[in-house]
Amino acid sequence: MSDINEMNAGMRWYVAHTYSGYENKVKANLEKIVENRGMQELITEVRIPMESVAEGEGEEAKVSEAKLLPSYILIRMIMCDESWHIVRNIRGVTGFVGPGSKPVPLTEEEVEFLLGGTPEAANEAFAVGDMVTIAEGIFAGYSGKLAEISEGGDVTIIVSTVGRDMPIKASIKEIKRMAE
């Protein structure tokens, strides 16, 4: 295992494979173990990549969240023997993604794609109260006021339609700032 310490220096994102439907349980268990053992310097973040999915058509359309990669979770960690063993020994984890038993860190481009950009970048680009247009998805073409920006890069936009204000959830990647 000592080659893991040499191969992956520094804080990186890794992908762990889980049993189907165990993603949330593994995430919760890992976060609890990290907190209980005081290992926040080794494992800083655990994420389940999600995407917005529109169900139905027209006014009856409902937007819900779906797992982008079922049976996988992303873990931001410093790869060492201790952190590897903690993740690997959680019930529901089958292993890391990589050849054999050697976890391979994600590139910055892969992380940006899977997580929809960094939350810090999303918060810098837009602010609550900005007027935006939805450029992609089922609500493309709607405009409104940005009401909320969540940590995961999702936003809530208040759109006025048919004389009513309607909140619409979207990804930060799907919106554009309206021209002044």
Side-chain angles (χ1 to χ4, degrees):
M1 272 309 181
S2 61
D3 59 333
I4 285 180
N5 294 332
E6 297 165 10
M7 182 178 84
N8 300 312
M11 190 67 66
R12 306 286 298 270
W13 283 97
Y14 296 88
V15 180
H17 185 264
T18 68
Y19 294 138
S20 181
Y22 273 65
E23 302 90 348
N24 293 327
K25 190 174 206 91
V26 168
K27 179 181 187 290
N29 287 343
L30 182 56
E31 289 171 341
K32 189 172 201 156
I33 288 170
V34 166
E35 183 180 334
N36 289 344
R37 294 187 184 178
M39 300 184 64
Q40 292 86 351
E41 70 281 350
L42 287 179
I43 300 174
T44 60
E45 195 172 353
V46 182
R47 302 275 296 270
I48 301 170
M50 304 292 277
E51 65 180 339
S52 296
V53 177
E55 299 170 2
E57 294 183 20
E59 292 181 18
E60 296 177 15
K62 293 182 182 176
V63 178
S64 62
E65 292 288 307
K67 291 179 178 86
L68 185 62
L69 300 170
S71 300
Y72 293 94
I73 62 170
L74 302 181
I75 306 168
R76 188 167 185 258
M77 60 191 280
I78 295 173
M79 185 59 70
C80 63
D81 290 340
E82 189 177 9
S83 61
W84 184 89
H85 282 288
I86 285 173
V87 174
R88 203 49 196 91
N89 291 319
I90 290 182
R91 178 184 217 140
V93 173
T94 62
F96 282 97
V97 173
S101 62
K102 296 180 181 170
V104 176
L106 294 173
T107 65
E108 291 300 318
E109 294 80 23
E110 291 167 331
V111 172
E112 189 173 322
F113 173 76
L114 292 172
L115 299 179
T118 60
E120 296 79 24
N123 291 338
E124 289 173 17
F126 296 98
V128 171
D130 285 351
M131 293 302 291
V132 296
T133 299
I134 302 172
E136 299 175 24
I138 192 165
F139 296 107
Y142 284 88
S143 298
K145 185 180 278 192
L146 192 56
E148 180 184 353
I149 303 172
S150 72
E151 244 181 62
D154 292 330
V155 295
T156 302
I157 303 148
I158 304 299
V159 175
S160 292
T161 182
V162 195
R164 291 185 172 174
D165 286 346
M166 180 173 79
I168 294 178
K169 299 253 185 218
S171 169
I172 197 108
K173 298 183 295 186
E174 297 175 339
I175 63 172
K176 294 185 179 177
R177 190 180 317 277
M178 286 180 62
E180 298 290 323

